[in-house]
Amino acid sequence: METFTELQTSDTAATATVTHAIWPLNTWYVAATPDEIGSKPLARQICGVRMAFFRPKSGIVVALEDFCPHRGAPLSLGFVREETLVCGYHGLAIDCQGRADNMPGQRVKNFPPVRTFPVIERYGFVWVWPGDPALASADKIHHLPWGESDDWAYGGGLFHVKCDYRLMIDNLMDLTHETYVHASSIGQKEIDEAPVKTRVEGQEVITSRMMEKVSAPPFWRMALKGAGLPEDAIVDRWQICRFNLPSHVMIEVGVALEGHGGYDAELSKKASSIVVDFITPETETTHWYFWGMARQFAVKDQALTDTIREGQTKIFSEDLDMLEQQQRNLSQYPERRLLKLNIDAGGARSRLMIDRVIARENADPVPAAEAEA
């Protein structure tokens, strides 16, 4: 299902509630999965803005600022009635364009409109544009082939993470930590030993690491078995991390039977997938993390999808604990400078790309390239 709403704000509505924010605004973020927006509205804060998502009778998801113009109550505490979201405090009904529609015993047609946000459903996610709605276009969402093809299976989940969203980007663009944080699942010493390469292609930052003739760690032994391959085989392994604005990281990962071409091996000789990471800022120290795995082997095996999801839940829970502890340290010691190593190049260049977009949105001078490592 794909739908798109392009709603306008009032002339007086601000395009952002945060000045010189740490996130781009004129872009698409994953806001929710469709199943989260059912008969009741969904409250979610994105890029510092509290939003209320609801699905009117027409079926197209709408996003309003979560603020009733009557007394300031959250609209998300209300309910859906036909094509309106009714405030749960005094019954003011707001239509899909943010206009006051009706209220028991009151005249409300001249109320100022509630701010609305462009929304689109695509690839199994609900996306929102928190910036200038005049700039929103469905064409600006990255093409994700795995999200529209029956040749892929997908399973995933959602975490609320208490850290700066950029720390998650750093984490995903440098997988060296797997050896230590995920020692019992996907980590192995060869990750440390294999050189990492970083490059920029257009608007994409790419880090890659290839490991030849290694034993598969537990998670990948399970994947080999699920693909109908010997789980104890010697394999060639790869990790290719791709960052795209505003904060998405797609990681091509996999193992192939040794000597069959590694990353380029035929599907019958490998277990490969894309680790999907949509990182949506909530506040300066919290974010929504939509994660999952898209794969091209055993795509009809729902039990395998569930097993992989369970494995990823454990893996990402380990990341969550580390990142939240890291944020506590950084918040307590904001004056401390951090070291940069060659393994940090992917995260540093991703941050530089983010900073340049924010600078353009704020009409600030473009940051120097000192962050390039």
Side-chain angles (χ1 to χ4, degrees):
M1 175 182 180
E2 180 176 322
T3 55
F4 178 51
T5 57
E6 188 169 355
L7 307 175
Q8 299 298 317
T9 63
S10 66
D11 291 340
T12 57
T15 57
T17 59
V18 179
T19 302
H20 297 288
I22 64 171
W23 43 67
L25 290 172
N26 291 320
T27 187
W28 293 104
Y29 289 96
V30 172
T33 52
D35 60 287
E36 291 186 276
I37 307 172
S39 59
K40 296 181 180 180
L42 171 71
R44 184 144 291 165
Q45 183 168 326
I46 294 175
C47 295
V49 180
R50 296 181 183 274
M51 302 180 187
F53 295 84
F54 73 102
R55 194 182 297 276
K57 187 177 180 180
S58 61
I60 300 176
V61 175
V62 175
L64 304 176
E65 186 172 19
D66 200 4
F67 189 96
C68 178
H70 173 222
R71 302 301 296 168
L75 289 170
S76 59
L77 297 179
F79 59 92
V80 180
R81 184 173 64 205
E82 299 293 331
E83 297 300 303
T84 65
L85 178 55
V86 181
C87 179
Y89 197 9
H90 298 98
L92 176 62
I94 306 296
D95 69 17
C96 296
Q97 285 71 44
R99 300 173 301 213
D101 185 80
N102 65 82
M103 185 175 178
Q106 306 294 320
R107 296 181 180 179
V108 298
K109 294 296 185 180
N110 292 325
F111 267 34
V114 175
R115 184 183 175 196
T116 60
F117 303 88
V119 174
I120 186 170
E121 288 189 64
R122 182 180 287 182
Y123 304 130
F125 297 95
V126 176
W127 305 70
V128 69
W129 181 283
D132 183 351
L135 301 177
S137 166
D139 295 335
K140 294 180 181 180
I141 292 182
H142 298 291
H143 182 223
L144 303 173
W146 53 263
E148 58 183 5
S149 171
D150 292 336
D151 294 332
W152 293 80
Y154 178 82
L158 169 63
F159 283 151
H160 180 252
V161 187
K162 297 177 182 177
C163 79
D164 184 330
Y165 79 105
R166 295 170 299 182
L167 294 181
M168 180 63 82
I169 294 172
D170 295 343
N171 172 276
L172 295 167
M173 292 301 290
D174 170 26
L175 299 182
T176 306
H177 72 275
E178 288 186 359
T179 303
Y180 309 96
V181 179
H182 310 303
S184 64
S185 54
I186 55 177
Q188 59 186 130
K189 62 181 179 61
E190 286 86 357
I191 295 176
D192 281 350
E193 298 168 353
V196 60
K197 298 180 180 180
T198 301
R199 65 187 190 275
V200 178
E201 294 184 359
Q203 294 299 305
E204 186 172 66
V205 180
I206 305 169
T207 64
S208 58
R209 179 184 273 115
M210 304 293 175
M211 293 156 276
E212 297 183 348
K213 299 180 181 180
V214 300
S215 297
F219 181 89
W220 285 109
R221 289 173 64 91
M222 175 270 294
L224 284 167
K225 183 178 180 181
L229 298 170
E231 59 183 297
D232 58 350
I234 297 300
V235 297
D236 296 326
R237 184 182 178 187
W238 60 90
Q239 299 171 327
I240 305 173
C241 309
R242 301 178 182 272
F243 168 83
N244 282 277
L245 290 166
S247 50
H248 312 327
V249 180
M250 303 291 117
I251 309 177
E252 296 180 71
V253 292
V255 292
L257 299 181
E258 185 269 327
H260 287 273
Y263 175 82
D264 296 314
E266 297 179 1
L267 289 178
S268 62
K269 301 297 183 181
K270 64 183 178 182
S272 63
S273 59
I274 298 174
V275 178
V276 176
D277 307 283
F278 294 119
I279 306 151
T280 301
E282 180 189 38
T283 70
E284 291 188 357
T285 55
T286 60
H287 67 269
W288 302 100
Y289 178 37
F290 297 85
W291 54 266
M293 180 174 280
R295 71 179 192 278
Q296 281 188 291
F297 61 92
V299 296
K300 302 298 184 183
D301 191 339
Q302 183 59 46
L304 180 59
T305 299
D306 294 339
T307 299
I308 290 175
R309 183 188 291 110
E310 291 172 6
Q312 280 194 294
T313 299
K314 178 179 180 297
I315 291 167
F316 291 145
S317 294
E318 294 167 343
D319 281 314
L320 185 150
D321 182 59
M322 178 63 74
L323 290 168
E324 292 188 343
Q325 297 281 2
Q326 180 187 14
Q327 180 64 64
R328 292 190 188 100
N329 260 357
L330 294 174
S331 296
Q332 186 170 356
Y333 304 104
E335 75 286 353
R336 294 199 177 182
R337 295 181 61 85
L338 302 181
L339 301 176
K340 286 188 175 68
L341 305 174
N342 64 328
I343 60 174
D344 302 316
R349 291 183 178 179
S350 299
R351 284 185 179 234
L352 179 61
M353 194 172 287
I354 292 170
D355 289 343
R356 285 175 169 166
V357 171
I358 295 171
R360 287 196 294 269
E361 291 186 353
N362 291 328
D364 288 340
V366 176
E370 63 181 14
E372 291 193 25

